[in-house]
Each structure stands twice: as structure tokens, then as C-alpha cells.
């Protein structure tokens, strides 16, 4: 068997793009877990919401990509903020089970609500770019994929700046590291939590919006991604953002490679095999929860 | 003592969720004074400080600060009004640098004040300048305690609540913390300090309050509380080493 170099490169590029979009989801999960100590089971559905917003708005905006993507981010972020305000803000730190039920509940409502309204039929989403793209030698990438990866990269850069250098982001890390100290310096944990959920939801909207023209859009798309994202966040250590980004990239790459050379089954299963191995070999990845850091 | 008290508690009852822990506490702190709060384990000292700052549950009574009953205000609001609280045990952001911890200390301040306020605490505690980029979690216990005090001093509080600031510190470091508290009070800040080093604390304070089982048990000038036979027996021991003769 001869391996075509262009094909391998194409797999790598696609893997990177996929990994970057996974990372947006995983980072949001890590952020919410870090700040609120809540595992958000509705995270995948927030992404799905972003995809549907994109799919529905594109025709309204004459298929133009950017305004639709911006609206997908805004709509999803607002849904996240409302979800925090009405539900999550009522959950106490110690009520872990309640938080699971509430986020699972939202996940179900969004999933079946979308099925009811839009049916489960997958839909293709078209943008004004169509299938145009760039070709370098034998390698071909569509604009939607290139843009998806670029948008994710810009989002990470912005997230890094926010968490590292602004009081807004520092406050999120602060609440994640020590709630009592956060109160000592005059932070309001509820406001910080609301900001974190809104930001994480916005990242879901961005990922969902960017994925819409790349993958088929359907109500169940969040479910497929969320379990991978959980696996990623666990492999990286809960609440560990740089770790989540690194593992997401590795996973996207791995999936793309396995998908390129082996059966689909392996592609879907590989992340979970890795998660189990990672947990066994490096349990601190899993149990770091207490000493968690965001950023 | 003719001036209006910096803080006046009237029949304060507070605790956690549905359990009141401290009962019927009345107390007045003179402006610029240092008051030491002593009492056995579980007496409710930390609960009292938390109630003054607002991080636990208020049940009844008044907490009057500058003529205003503040019991319904959030902690961040009390901080903005000039009340600062450094809780017991390590209370900083361990994986952030000293610089970032101090910047978070400035959270309630306008941006233009951050630089000058941080510079002021750095001149008060030069040690922090040498540890500027170290992670707070890598500092020694005493250094972390100093950092935590500095994190609230940037707000230039007028009432400072410190919960066992000398806990786990070396005698030398303890003396430094006591000296710092005295220095802060000399600038007009009122301090309420919980101390297990009763002897050292009583030497640097003006007033002492003794709590037992959630109630105020005794109150008076530090010197007279120190000489009270019951206090000598319970906290000072017969043969305590008088090492921290300030
Ligand atoms: N978060 C909490 N929830 C419920 N009860 C608490 C909580 N914190 C403290 N208590 C209870 O309140 C009582 C007083 O505790 P507190 O911490 O105020 O005592 P303390 O005088 O500060 O003791 P120490 O010298 O050990 O610090 C104890 O019986 C304790 O069990
Ligand atoms: Mg205590």
C-alpha cells in the first residue's frame, strides 16, 4: 500500500479543523465545570442550537456567512445566560445531583424540541461560498472548513487574552480556584458564574454555527459531540483549559486519520478507548477536580 | 471613646443555613482600635467575623457600620463601604502569581487606582515585590498570610477583620504580622483580630473580647482581660513562654 502524501496532509488539515471545533465545546465544558462545579449535559444541545440558528438564518441573510455566524453566537449565548439565570443560579454548590438533572433536563428539552419543530431529518446547509475553496497542489480545502478552523483559532486567542489579562476573565479563574478568596476580594460568584455560562454557550454557538455548513445539521448532532467532549475534558483533567485544547486537537487529528484509513467504527470508538486508558494510566487527569484551574 | 463606634453590633445572631451558631452578640469597636477576639475551638469566632462581612447567614440583630445597618448587603458591597475580611486558613488564588492576586484584590476599585494602591502595599510589605511573579501557592505560609492581608489592604479598608492571621507561622513571622497590624491600626484602621496566640495578640491590642459557646463571655481592655484569672487559666497557661514581648 502506498500512502499518498497529499491525502495524508488533507487528513491532517481536516483533523486540525475538526479538533479546533471540538476544542471550543470542550473548553466551554471545562469553564463551566471550573467556575460552577457543574457538568453541563446540555452543552452539545447548545452547539446544536448554534447550528440550527445558522441553518435557519443563512437563507434570511442571503446565504452570507458572517452575519449568520454572529447571530448564532449571540442567540446561543443569550440562551445560556437565560439558562443560568432561571435554573443554574438556583443550584447550590453542594447539590451535584440536582445540577445533573437540571442540565440533562435542558438537554432533553432542546433535543426533542428541535426534533418536534424541525424533524430528525438531517439537512444540508449552504452558504454563498458553496463548495469553493483553495487548492494547493493536490490538496483541497473548502472555504467553510478553512474559515471554521480560523474562527476557532481566533476564538482561542481571544479567550486566552480574556482569561489571562482582563479582570473579567481573571474573576472566572479566581472563582474556580477559591470561592472564599473570591468573596474576600469582592467578587460576586453569581455574576461571574453567569458570565462563564454565557461565554461557554457563546463558544458552543460559534462551534455549532461553523460546523453547520461542514456537517449535516440534525437535532442529534449535539449528542454525538458531547460525549467526545466529556471524554476530552476528562482526559485533560476537569477544568484544565489548555489541556482540553491540546487533547481536542489530538483527537481531531486521530479521528481524521483513523477515518481515512480504517472503518468508521474505529473512528467513533477510539476516543473512548483513549479515555479509559488515560483514566487508568493517569487518574490525576480525572481527579484533579479539587485543585482545578481554569486557564 | 466619644466618637461614633467604627462598628456596632446589637444582639446579633448568625450561623449557617438553618442553624444559628452565635447568639445575641453586642459589641462596639472604637475607631482605630485593635480588638482581639479569643475563645476556644468552635466558640464561634470565625462565624462572628463571617457574619460581619456577610459570607454566612444572618438571623437577627443589627450590624451598624458608619450609621448604616448593613446586614442585608452582599460581601462585595460591604467591601466597597470599607469592611475587609481575611478568612482563616489559606485564602488566595494559589496558581496565580502574586501580581495577579494583588490585581484581583483591586477588583472593586476603579482601574486608575490599581497601580498606586498596589505600589502602596508593596512598600508596606517589600517581600511581596521579590515574589512578584511567583505563584501564590509556592510562597511559605507566612508569606501567603501577608499576601492575603495585602490583597484586602489595597482597598484601603477602614475596618479590617482578620481570622487567625498568625496561625501556623514561625514566631518571627508572627511578630511581623502583629507589627503590621499595629502599623495598619496606627493609620486609623479599626481591626478585629481572632487569635489563638492569645498572649502575643493581647500585647498588641487595645481591647479583648472573649467568646464561649457562641456567646460573648467577657470584654474589656486587653490588659485587664490578660490579668483575669479565668483567662490566665484557660488560655495563657501558668508557664507560657513570653517570647513575643513585642
Ligand atoms: N460552614 C458551616 N456550616 C455549618 N456549621 C458550621 C460551619 N462552619 C462552622 N460551623 C460550626 O459553627 C461552630 C463555630 O465554628 P467557628 O468556626 O465559628 O468556631 P471558631 O471559634 O472559629 O473555632 P476555631 O478556633 O476552631 O477556628 C462550630 O460548632 C462549627 O461546627
Ligand atoms: Mg475559626
Amino acid at each position: 500500500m502506498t500512502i499518498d502524501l497529499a491525502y495524508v496532509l488533507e487528513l491532517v488539515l481536516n483533523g486540525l479543523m475538526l479538533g479546533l471545533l471540538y476544542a471550543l465545546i470542550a473548553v466551554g465544558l471545562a469553564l463551566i465545570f471550573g467556575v460552577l462545579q457543574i457538568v453541563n449535559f446540555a452543552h452539545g444541545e447548545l452547539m446544536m442550537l448554534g447550528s440550527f440558528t445558522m441553518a435557519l438564518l443563512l437563507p434570511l441573510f442571503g446565504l452570507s456567512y458572517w452575519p449568520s455566524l454572529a447571530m448564532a453566537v449571540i442567540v446561543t449565548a443569550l440562551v445560556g445566560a437565560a439558562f443560568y439565570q432561571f435554573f443554574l443560579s438556583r443550584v447550590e454548590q453542594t447539590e451535584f445531583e440536582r445540577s445533573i438533572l437540571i442540565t440533562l433536563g435542558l438537554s432533553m428539552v432542546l433535543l426533542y424540541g428541535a426534533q418536534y419543530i424541525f424533524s430528525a431529518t438531517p439537512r444540508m446547509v449552504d452558504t454563498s461560498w458553496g463548495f469553493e475553496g483553495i487548492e494547493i497542489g493536490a490538496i483541497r480545502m473548502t472555504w467553510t472548513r478553512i474559515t471554521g478552523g480560523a474562527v476557532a483559532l481566533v476564538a482561542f486567542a481571544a479567550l486566552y487574552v480574556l482569561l489571562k489579562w482582563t479582570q473579567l476573565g481573571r474573576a472566572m479563574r479566581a472563582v474556580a480556584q477559591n470561592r472564599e478568596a473570591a468573596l474576600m476580594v469582592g467578587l460576586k460568584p453569581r455574576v461571574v458564574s453567569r458570565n462563564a455560562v454565557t461565554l461557554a454557550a457563546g463558544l458552543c454557538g460559534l462551534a455549532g454555527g461553523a460546523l453547520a455548513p461542514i456537517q449535516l445539521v440534525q437535532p442529534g448532532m449535539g449528542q454525538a459531540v458531547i460525549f467526545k467532549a466529556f471524554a476530552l475534558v476528562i482526559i485533560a483533567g476537569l477544568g484544565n483549559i489548555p489541556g482540553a485544547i491540546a487533547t481536542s486537537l489530538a483527537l481531531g487529528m486521530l479521528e481524521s486519520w483513523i477515518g481515512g484509513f480504517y472503518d468508521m467504527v474505529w473512528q467513533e470508538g477510539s476516543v473512548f478507548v483513549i479515555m479509559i486508558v488515560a483514566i487508568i494510566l493517569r487518574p490525576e487527569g480525572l481527579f484533579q477536580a479539587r485543585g482545578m484551574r481554569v486557564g | 471613646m466619644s466618637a461614633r463606634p467604627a462598628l456596632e453590633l446589637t444582639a446579633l445572631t448568625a450561623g449557617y443555613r438553618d442553624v444559628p451558631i452565635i447568639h445575641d452578640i453586642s459589641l462596639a469597636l472604637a475607631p482605630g482600635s485593635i480588638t482581639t477576639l479569643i475563645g476556644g475551638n468552635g466558640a464561634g469566632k470565625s462565624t462572628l467575623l463571617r457574619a460581619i462581612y456577610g459570607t454566612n447567614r444572618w438571623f437577627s440583630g443589627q450590624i451598624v457600620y458608619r450609621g448604616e445597618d448593613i446586614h442585608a448587603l452582599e460581601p462585595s458591597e460591604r467591601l466597597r463601604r470599607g469592611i475587609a475580611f481575611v478568612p482563616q486558613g489559606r485564602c488566595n488564588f494559589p496558581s496565580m502569581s502574586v501580581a495577579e492576586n494583588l490585581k484581583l484584590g483591586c477588583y472593586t476599585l476603579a482601574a486608575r487606582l490599581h497601580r498606586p494602591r498596589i505600589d502602596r502595599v508593596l512598600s508596606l510589605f517589600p517581600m511581596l515585590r521579590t515574589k512578584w511573579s511567583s505563584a501564590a501557592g509556592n510562597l511559605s505560609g507566612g508569606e501567603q498570610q501577608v499576601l492575603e492581608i495585602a490583597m484586602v489592604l489595597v482597598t484601603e479598608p477602614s475596618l479590617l477583620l482578620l481570622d487567625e492571621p498568625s496561625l501556623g507561622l514561625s514566631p518571627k513571622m508572627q511578630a511581623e504580622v502583629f507589627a503590621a497590624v499595629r502599623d495598619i491600626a496606627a493609620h486609623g484602621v479599626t481591626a478585629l483580630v481572632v487569635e489563638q496566640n492569645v498572649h502575643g495578640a493581647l500585647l498588641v491590642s487595645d481591647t479583648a473580647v472573649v467568646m464561649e459557646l457562641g456567646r460573648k463571655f467577657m470584654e474589656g481592655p486587653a490588659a485587664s482581660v490578660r490579668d483575669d484569672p479565668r483567662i490566665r487559666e484557660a488560655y495563657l497557661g501558668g508557664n507560657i513562654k513570653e517570647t513575643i514581648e513585642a
Side-chain angles (χ1 to χ4, degrees):
Chain A
M1 180 169 99
T2 56
I3 295 176
D4 180 7
L5 189 65
Y7 182 55
V8 169
L9 261 175
E10 211 173 298
L11 288 179
V12 167
L13 289 175
N14 273 325
L16 271 178
M17 187 274 313
L18 209 59
L20 283 168
L21 292 175
Y22 283 152
L24 286 179
I25 311 277
V27 160
L29 263 185
L31 191 66
I32 292 181
F33 182 81
V35 176
L36 287 83
Q37 316 234 301
I38 281 177
V39 177
N40 180 22
F41 286 91
H43 217 66
E45 277 60 48
L46 289 172
M47 182 205 85
M48 181 267 290
L49 188 71
S51 288
F52 270 96
T53 312
M54 183 83 174
L56 298 173
L57 288 182
L58 270 166
L60 295 184
F61 288 124
L63 294 190
S64 74
Y65 187 92
W66 295 111
S68 311
L69 186 67
M71 285 306 290
V73 173
I74 292 169
V75 167
T76 319
L78 287 178
V79 168
F83 180 51
Y84 176 79
Q85 210 61 36
F86 293 119
F87 298 102
L88 293 182
S89 66
R90 290 162 213 272
V91 181
E92 294 280 326
Q93 278 285 287
T94 47
E95 301 175 314
F96 195 64
E97 301 84 352
R98 267 186 77 197
S99 75
I100 291 177
L101 290 179
I102 288 179
T103 59
L104 261 182
L106 177 74
S107 153
M108 294 297 146
V109 168
L110 289 177
L111 173 60
Y112 293 111
Q115 271 188 20
Y116 180 75
I117 300 171
F118 306 114
S119 89
T121 321
R123 50 179 84 198
M124 287 267 287
V125 173
D126 204 11
T127 72
S128 56
W129 294 330
F131 286 104
E132 284 168 41
I134 46 169
E135 272 170 60
I136 302 168
I139 305 171
R140 208 190 120 70
M141 291 278 281
T142 59
W143 281 122
T144 51
R145 283 176 185 262
I146 294 168
T147 312
V151 157
L153 278 178
V154 171
F156 287 127
L159 188 68
Y160 181 82
V161 170
L162 178 90
L163 287 176
K164 182 93 182 153
W165 283 306
T166 71
Q167 288 288 70
L168 189 76
R170 224 176 253 140
M172 293 182 197
R173 288 189 289 144
V175 172
Q177 282 180 30
N178 189 336
R179 273 185 106 74
E180 203 179 20
L183 287 169
M184 175 181 95
V185 298
L187 289 166
K188 299 179 183 176
R190 275 169 197 277
V191 174
V192 177
S193 299
R194 198 235 292 129
N195 293 344
V197 173
T198 308
L199 176 63
L203 293 175
C204 283
L206 191 68
L211 272 172
I214 297 172
Q215 287 186 344
L216 292 175
V217 173
Q218 60 187 77
M221 65 192 293
Q223 299 271 302
V225 171
I226 194 62
F227 286 107
K228 276 180 208 161
F230 280 143
L232 288 173
V233 170
I234 289 171
I235 294 171
L238 286 163
N240 183 342
I241 287 182
I245 296 178
T247 30
S248 302
L249 285 180
L251 173 77
M253 205 79 100
L254 186 88
E255 277 200 355
S256 168
W257 276 61
I258 294 178
F261 294 113
Y262 301 94
D263 282 340
M264 192 67 182
V265 185
W266 290 107
Q267 186 180 350
E268 290 299 309
S270 56
V271 56
F272 296 101
V273 173
I274 294 173
M275 176 181 80
I276 291 168
V277 172
I279 290 173
I280 292 170
L281 293 183
R282 220 180 122 264
E284 68 274 21
L286 178 64
F287 296 118
Q288 242 173 14
R290 292 297 138 232
M292 113 233 352
R293 53 196 67 197
V294 167
Chain B
M1 295 288 258
S2 58
R4 184 172 73 182
L7 178 80
E8 189 164 18
L9 308 179
T10 315
L12 176 66
T13 296
Y16 306 92
R17 287 169 180 268
D18 41 5
V19 195
I21 299 280
I22 53 167
H23 303 270
D24 206 23
I25 308 267
S26 294
L27 196 64
L29 304 185
S33 67
I34 304 180
T35 302
T36 299
L37 183 56
I38 60 181
N41 283 99
K45 307 179 295 292
S46 298
T47 305
L48 177 59
L49 293 205
R50 288 190 192 116
I52 298 170
Y53 189 61
T55 52
N56 59 3
R57 169 117 191 257
W58 170 90
F59 284 88
S60 62
Q62 289 187 316
I63 307 170
V64 177
Y65 172 74
R66 290 185 172 162
E68 177 192 18
D69 189 350
I70 56 163
H71 81 259
L73 296 179
E74 279 198 62
S76 61
E77 282 307 314
R78 301 187 200 201
L79 183 63
R80 282 173 203 277
R81 280 168 170 69
I83 303 179
F85 170 44
V86 181
Q88 187 173 347
R90 292 287 61 84
C91 196
N92 53 51
F93 306 110
S95 59
M96 292 190 209
S97 65
V98 166
E100 284 195 295
N101 273 274
L102 291 173
K103 278 177 196 148
L104 275 164
C106 295
Y107 194 80
T108 53
L109 302 176
R112 68 188 161 75
L113 291 175
H114 294 191
R115 201 61 252 169
R117 295 290 178 87
I118 290 177
D119 283 343
R120 274 199 62 187
V121 297
L122 287 178
S123 61
L124 204 56
F125 304 113
M127 174 278 296
L128 293 175
R129 204 186 290 276
T130 66
K131 302 281 176 172
W132 186 243
S133 358
S134 319
N138 292 341
L139 303 190
S140 74
E143 289 166 342
Q144 290 188 45
Q145 184 64 54
V146 168
L147 170 64
E148 289 156 18
I149 295 175
M151 283 163 73
V152 304
L153 280 186
V154 291
T155 65
E156 300 194 342
S158 73
L159 173 61
L160 182 60
L161 311 168
L162 300 177
D163 199 345
E164 307 213 8
S166 69
L167 188 69
L169 304 195
S170 66
K172 180 171 170 287
M173 205 70 203
Q174 285 190 11
E176 270 175 41
V177 169
F178 286 143
V181 171
R182 206 153 45 171
D183 196 38
I184 293 160
H187 287 84
V189 176
T190 310
L192 178 58
V193 186
V194 174
E195 262 306 335
Q196 28 85 48
N197 178 354
V198 174
H199 185 77
L202 289 182
L203 282 175
V204 300
S205 61
D206 308 302
T207 313
V209 173
V210 187
M211 283 182 75
E212 277 313 325
L213 301 172
R215 291 180 187 274
K216 191 171 82 179
F217 170 71
M218 188 192 292
E219 178 183 17
S224 68
V225 168
R226 193 152 69 101
D227 292 336
D228 188 285
R230 289 168 299 180
I231 300 304
R232 291 204 84 87
E233 167 119 22
Y235 303 104
L236 295 173
N239 56 354
I240 193 162
K241 279 212 204 111
E242 310 218 336
T243 42
I244 310 160
E245 211 63 68

